[in-house]
């Protein structure tokens, strides 16, 4: 069935082009009157075919960019504070970026409609980020470049989805092949196969394994995997153990779509660029280049939470909030027109944090669940968050009172923003004195991406950002961006420093450690997981001195500063959290598959889940497959 032709026939002559944008249908018209008044007839067709259809103006009749800018400035009230007007020329869309998006939209969209009628461009609205982000700007350049590649690419996806489209078909087998992240943490990668589809869920590396070791990458040499047949990649979130190999897939010639949330796209590009930088610093050849990251961005299809989209003729995807990091999603797949529903939780958090709401537990339908098990064993009971927050505040307070400085090594994407919120709140409420808080390394860029997507944050932080009380741009935080600025921190008075890397494996945090370590008035606070063998782990375990190089000379540094470990600050669910997630999960699944955990933790969790839920549980090994239907 050629769905596009069928639609085009309904509007004899009015439509110059009908094309797909992924699973959506877009019609272009060069008839100005039809563009302005054709809404009713479009709605009839939507009701008939039950698919999203959007009408846009053919580029031939669009007002020039220059005149459009002028018109927008006339129509939109000054109070809206328009910061930028971006033209997506390939798709006849104009993006209006403003500090107060509500004022651009107007009552029931009246102002947007006025812009549409006056310019014939289709206006979209975007909130101006409170902090500028270079990465978001260069991603835009890639997406809105003046060429037709992206429009053709999105059209080809739709063609594939609809080529074999038959909503009545419910038969067919479904299987999963575990390519990585099974009985281990790292290199998450699962292949989902049906008679019609080959879909990859996550495409990570194992950051703890050195380059040159094949175990750093998923097992892509299994007979089931054929890149030429891969229809789509779905990424749960931007951590390298879930997205790190994706640019490499494009380098190897993959040209298909990658589905993720918009923040995951931006964060993923940022972390992948940083990954290249780290490789160069260690005098290693990076796995991929910035060109490959660009390819990844060019082929990305971004979805909001709860937005349903067809990915292949027989698989429909919806992302749900997973509460783990900004933009992190649980992946819900409706397979074979409702024959089977699979939830891949990926990494999640099931308590409310300051930054994010807890993971969603209610789904339209559910037969199988794949769950992570990072802290899945009996002993993995995490202390309550309030206790952990008090520990952080107390440790800072004591250190400041005796005239010391506090170092908090942080992961690029993880708890840094959560720590910032805790400290900001403590200073605002008077629990901590008004001390300077310095932010060094990639954290600042990641803050910028957070402020650009308030809709993905907790209700509380979102409303703070909407009310111009953005906690991340609070004046208590200062960015440290150069060695000179760093020197001022070294020479200055009591303060708190948040710096990457999280395990003291290179990066800014090591520079601060070198300065702070010998003075017993100072403190170091570990808020994230410290890998075995890392400098952070050794200090946790009581290391008293270490060799460090400065200005090319090796020297011994005594470690006299006070060491604190905050256990309850993890972005992963503790054992009780996982069990209560399953307790509240609706509907009840018939099968639970456990992955993303050390083997003993995964096994321990699987047996507990079996006892509590009386459903089949599996703990697959890498290369093993499971048939779901
Ligand atoms: Zn993660």
């Amino acid at each position: 069935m050629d769905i596009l032709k069928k639609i085009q026939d309904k509007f004899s002559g009015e439509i110059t082009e009908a094309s797909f944008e992924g699973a959506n249908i877009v019609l272009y018209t060069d008839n100005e009157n039809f563009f302005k008044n054709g809404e009713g007839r479009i709605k009839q067709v939507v009701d008939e075919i039950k698919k999203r259809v959007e009408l846009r103006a053919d580029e031939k009749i669009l007002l020039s960019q220059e005149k459009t800018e002028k018109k927008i400035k006339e129509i939109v009230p000054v109070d809206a504070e328009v910061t930028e007007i971006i033209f997506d020329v390939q798709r006849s869309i104009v993006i209006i970026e403003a500090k107060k998006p509500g004022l651009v939209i107007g009552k029931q969209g009246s102002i947007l409609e006025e812009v549409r009628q006056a310019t014939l461009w289709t206006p979209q609205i975007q909130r101006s980020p409170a902090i500028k982000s270079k990465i978001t700007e260069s991603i835009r350049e890639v997406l809105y470049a003046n060429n037709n590649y992206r429009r053709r690419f999105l059209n080809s996806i739709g063609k594939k989805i609809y080529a074999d489209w038959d909503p009545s078909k419910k038969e067919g087998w479904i299987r999963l092949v575990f390519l990585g992240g099974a009985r281990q943490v790292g290199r998450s990668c699962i292949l989902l196969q049906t008679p019609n589809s080959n879909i990859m869920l996550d495409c990570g590396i194992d950051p703890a394994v050195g380059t040159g070791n094949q175990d750093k990458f998923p097992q892509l040499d299994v007979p089931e995997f054929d890149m030429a047949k891969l229809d789509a990649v779905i990424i749960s979130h931007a951590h390298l153990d879930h997205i790190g190999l994706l640019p490499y897939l494009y380098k190897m010639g993959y040209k298909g779509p990658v589905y993720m949330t918009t923040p995951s796209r931006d964060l993923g590009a940022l972390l992948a660029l940083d990954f290249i930088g780290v490789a160069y610093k260690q005098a290693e050849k990076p796995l991929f280049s910035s060109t490959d990251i660009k390819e990844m961005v060019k082929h990305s299809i971004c979805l909001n939470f709860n937005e349903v989209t067809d990915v292949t003729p027989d698989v429909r995807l919806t992302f749900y909030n997973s509460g783990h990091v900004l933009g992190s999603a649980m992946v819900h797949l409706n397979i074979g027109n409702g024959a089977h529903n699979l939830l891949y939780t990926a990494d999640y958090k099931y308590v409310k944090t300051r930054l994010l709401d807890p993971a969603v537990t209610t789904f339209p339908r559910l037969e199988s669940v794949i769950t992570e098990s990072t802290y899945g064993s009996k002993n993995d009971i995490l202390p309550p968050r309030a206790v952990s927050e008090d520990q952080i505040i107390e440790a800072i307070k004591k250190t400041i009172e005796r005239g010391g400085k506090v170092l908090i090594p942080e992961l690029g994407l993880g708890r840094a923003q959560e720590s910032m919120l805790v400290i900001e709140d403590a200073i605002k409420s008077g629990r901590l004195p008004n001390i300077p808080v310095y932010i060094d390394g990639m954290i600042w860029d990641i803050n910028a991406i957070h402020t650009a997507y308030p809709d993905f944050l907790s209700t509380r932080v979102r409303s703070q950002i909407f009310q111009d009380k953005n906690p991340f741009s609070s004046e208590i935080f200062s960015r440290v961006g150069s060695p000179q600025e760093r020197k001022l921190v070294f020479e200055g008075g009591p303060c708190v420093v948040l710096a990457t890397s999280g395990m003291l494996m290179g990066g800014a945090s090591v520079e601060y450690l070198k300065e702070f370590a010998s003075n017993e008035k100072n403190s170091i606070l570990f808020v994230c997981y410290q890998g075995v063998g890392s400098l952070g782990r050794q200090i946790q375990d009581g290391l008293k001195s270490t060799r460090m190089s400065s200005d090319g000379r090796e020297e011994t540094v005594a470690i006299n500063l006070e060491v604190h470990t905050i256990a309850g600050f993890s972005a992963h669910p503790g054992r009780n959290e996982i069990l209560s997630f399953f307790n509240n999960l609706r509907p009840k699944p018939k099968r639970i598959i456990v992955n993303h955990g050390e083997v003993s933790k995964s096994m321990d969790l699987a047996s507990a889940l079996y006892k509590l839920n009386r459903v089949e549980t599996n703990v697959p090994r890498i290369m093993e497959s499971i048939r779901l239907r």
Side-chain angles (χ1 to χ4, degrees):
M1 173 182 64
D2 189 343
I3 191 167
L4 288 186
K5 199 169 172 310
K6 204 173 133 187
I7 294 174
Q8 226 165 343
D9 288 347
K10 288 184 192 292
F11 301 101
S12 49
E14 259 96 74
I15 303 301
T16 48
E17 198 194 328
S19 64
F20 295 110
E21 271 181 15
N24 297 334
I25 293 161
V26 184
L27 306 176
Y28 292 88
T29 181
D30 60 357
N31 179 337
E32 189 174 328
N33 187 42
F34 181 68
F35 176 73
K36 288 180 173 172
N37 306 306
E39 215 170 273
R41 283 178 62 198
I42 296 287
K43 198 178 168 298
Q44 270 177 6
V45 174
V46 171
D47 290 344
E48 210 175 299
I49 60 165
K50 306 255 182 303
K51 289 281 150 196
R52 240 188 87 182
V53 179
E54 199 185 315
L55 180 65
R56 294 195 202 133
D58 193 290
E59 59 172 325
K60 287 199 287 286
I61 60 167
L62 293 173
L63 197 65
S64 75
Q65 293 191 21
E66 200 184 322
K67 285 186 183 153
T68 301
E69 275 206 52
K70 238 178 104 198
K71 265 272 179 272
I72 289 173
K73 284 179 184 150
E74 275 169 36
I75 297 170
V76 175
V78 186
D79 295 350
E81 295 183 67
V82 173
T83 47
E84 212 173 334
I85 295 168
I86 307 154
F87 292 93
D88 186 350
V89 274
Q90 307 165 42
R91 306 193 297 148
S92 306
I93 288 174
V94 59
I95 298 154
I96 305 171
E97 194 186 79
K99 287 196 178 153
K100 304 220 167 60
L103 295 179
V104 185
I105 296 166
K107 255 198 192 125
Q108 279 145 1
S110 58
I111 291 178
L112 279 190
E113 184 55 28
E114 208 179 314
V115 169
R116 183 177 176 271
Q117 298 276 343
T119 68
L120 306 185
W121 288 81
T122 298
Q124 282 181 3
I125 183 78
Q126 202 165 279
R127 178 177 297 275
S128 326
I131 306 170
K132 277 220 170 260
S133 159
K134 256 200 198 131
I135 195 87
T136 305
E137 280 166 16
S138 41
I139 284 172
R140 271 186 200 157
E141 277 165 30
V142 173
L143 290 178
Y144 308 143
N146 195 359
N147 68 55
N148 268 317
Y149 181 82
R150 184 140 166 103
R151 185 160 150 181
R152 272 183 288 137
F153 160 71
L154 291 171
N155 188 35
S156 71
I157 307 289
K159 273 190 185 151
K160 259 176 95 179
I161 294 171
Y162 287 102
D164 201 14
W165 192 56
D166 181 358
S168 63
K169 238 195 225 163
K170 282 199 188 213
E171 73 274 20
W173 48 264
I174 302 163
R175 71 198 290 264
L176 297 169
V177 189
F178 289 81
L179 305 180
R183 300 194 178 205
Q184 66 172 180
V185 177
R187 57 167 169 162
S188 281
C189 189
I190 303 168
L191 185 63
L192 166 74
Q193 297 183 300
T194 76
N196 284 313
S197 306
N198 284 281
I199 296 172
M200 185 181 274
L201 305 177
D202 280 341
C203 186
I205 54 157
D206 189 340
V209 172
T211 35
N213 184 337
Q214 277 305 311
D215 289 346
K216 191 171 184 66
F217 313 112
Q219 197 86 36
L220 296 182
D221 55 352
V222 293
E224 286 97 335
F225 181 69
D226 178 356
M227 191 139 78
K229 289 192 183 141
L230 189 60
D231 297 303
V233 180
I234 297 171
I235 297 291
S236 63
H237 67 287
H239 276 148
L240 287 177
D241 59 328
H242 295 258
I243 198 179
L245 199 69
L246 185 59
Y248 183 76
L249 226 55
Y250 286 100
K251 181 179 177 180
M252 290 290 105
Y254 175 60
K255 292 219 178 306
V258 51
Y259 293 85
M260 48 189 162
T261 63
T262 321
S264 291
R265 178 197 63 199
D266 295 10
L267 293 166
L270 181 66
L271 292 174
L273 280 172
D274 183 65
F275 184 63
I276 295 177
V278 170
Y280 276 125
K281 266 184 210 147
Q282 293 167 350
E284 280 170 2
K285 195 172 169 289
L287 202 55
F288 45 75
S289 70
S290 57
T291 314
D292 307 314
I293 300 174
K294 236 180 231 167
E295 285 301 300
M296 171 181 97
V297 169
K298 225 157 86 182
H299 293 87
S300 61
I301 298 181
C302 293
L303 302 174
N304 286 321
F305 292 147
N306 310 318
E307 185 181 340
V308 185
T309 195
D310 291 299
V311 169
T312 59
D314 63 348
V315 177
R316 195 168 296 158
L317 160 69
T318 318
F319 285 133
Y320 291 89
N321 173 39
S322 85
H324 171 65
V325 292
L326 176 70
S328 68
M330 296 196 162
V331 179
H332 183 276
L333 298 168
N334 173 307
I335 309 165
N337 291 301
H340 194 94
N341 291 269
L342 168 69
L343 178 71
Y344 168 47
T345 69
D347 300 0
Y348 61 103
K349 186 81 191 156
Y350 191 48
V351 294
K352 192 169 169 38
T353 59
R354 284 172 181 261
L355 194 62
L356 303 169
D357 289 331
V360 167
T361 49
T362 308
F363 298 89
R365 291 187 49 195
L366 212 53
E367 274 82 32
S368 305
V369 178
I370 308 172
T371 180
E372 68 136 303
S373 55
T374 316
Y375 294 110
S377 87
K378 279 190 253 342
N379 310 320
D380 292 325
I381 308 295
L382 304 177
R385 295 193 75 74
V387 172
S388 309
E389 290 192 2
D390 287 347
Q391 287 173 336
I392 293 176
I393 294 166
E394 280 313 306
I396 294 174
K397 204 171 158 204
K398 261 174 52 197
T399 311
I400 301 299
E401 276 167 3
R402 61 175 182 247
K405 296 172 183 166
V406 181
L407 171 61
I408 311 181
E410 297 270 14
L411 287 171
L413 171 61
R415 299 287 97 177
Q417 287 72 32
E418 189 77 13
S419 307
M420 287 174 71
L421 292 177
V422 171
I423 295 167
E424 196 251 356
D425 192 44
I427 291 178
K428 227 170 44 191
S429 65
R431 287 189 70 188
L432 281 178
N434 203 349
I435 34 152
V437 181
Y438 297 107
I439 312 293
D440 200 335
M442 215 197 344
I443 298 166
W444 199 265
D445 303 295
I446 290 182
N447 285 347
I449 299 177
H450 277 73
T451 62
Y453 301 107
D455 289 332
F456 286 82
L457 300 173
S458 68
T459 325
R460 181 171 155 193
V461 178
R462 193 188 315 141
S463 68
Q464 285 177 329
I465 291 177
F466 287 176
Q467 290 162 22
D468 265 340
K469 287 176 193 147
N470 186 343
F472 298 112
S473 33
S474 161
E475 68 242 7
I476 67 160
F477 300 119
S478 317
R479 180 186 197 173
V480 182
S482 65
Q484 289 82 349
E485 287 172 332
R486 219 173 261 167
K487 204 159 168 262
L488 291 177
V489 180
F490 295 158
E491 289 163 359
C495 63
V496 178
V497 177
L498 279 72
T500 50
S501 68
M503 300 185 197
L504 297 169
M505 300 295 280
S509 59
V510 177
E511 300 303 314
Y512 289 97
L513 180 73
K514 232 183 284 173
E515 288 295 320
F516 292 2
S518 59
N519 187 341
E520 62 274 6
K521 281 186 185 163
N522 297 334
S523 305
I524 186 164
L525 260 64
F526 291 108
V527 292
C528 60
Y529 176 76
Q530 301 298 311
V532 179
S534 64
L535 180 56
R537 180 66 159 262
Q538 292 175 47
I539 292 175
Q540 266 183 326
D541 291 346
L543 189 73
K544 281 290 156 231
S545 74
T546 186
R547 301 281 292 169
M548 296 177 110
S549 69
S550 74
D551 302 329
R553 280 181 300 119
E554 281 255 324
E555 55 180 12
T556 302
V557 177
I559 297 171
N560 302 327
L561 82 181
E562 203 172 72
V563 178
H564 298 268
T565 298
I566 316 294
F569 224 53
S570 173
H572 292 276
R575 159 85 158 210
N576 288 348
E577 249 175 89
I578 301 177
L579 297 183
S580 82
F581 173 80
F582 276 93
N583 202 23
N584 293 326
L585 189 58
R586 298 289 180 277
K588 293 282 156 211
K590 297 185 178 70
R591 186 207 289 262
I592 301 171
I593 299 162
V594 180
N595 77 343
H596 199 289
E598 289 161 24
V599 59
S600 62
K601 299 192 188 254
S602 299
M603 300 295 263
D604 190 344
L605 179 68
S607 92
L609 286 172
Y610 172 73
K611 279 181 203 141
L612 288 167
N613 298 278
R614 292 289 157 191
V615 295
E616 183 177 349
T617 53
N618 311 101
V619 187
R621 295 173 174 82
I622 287 174
M623 287 180 86
E624 278 183 350
S625 61
I626 291 178
R627 185 174 171 178
L628 296 179
R629 187 170 186 271

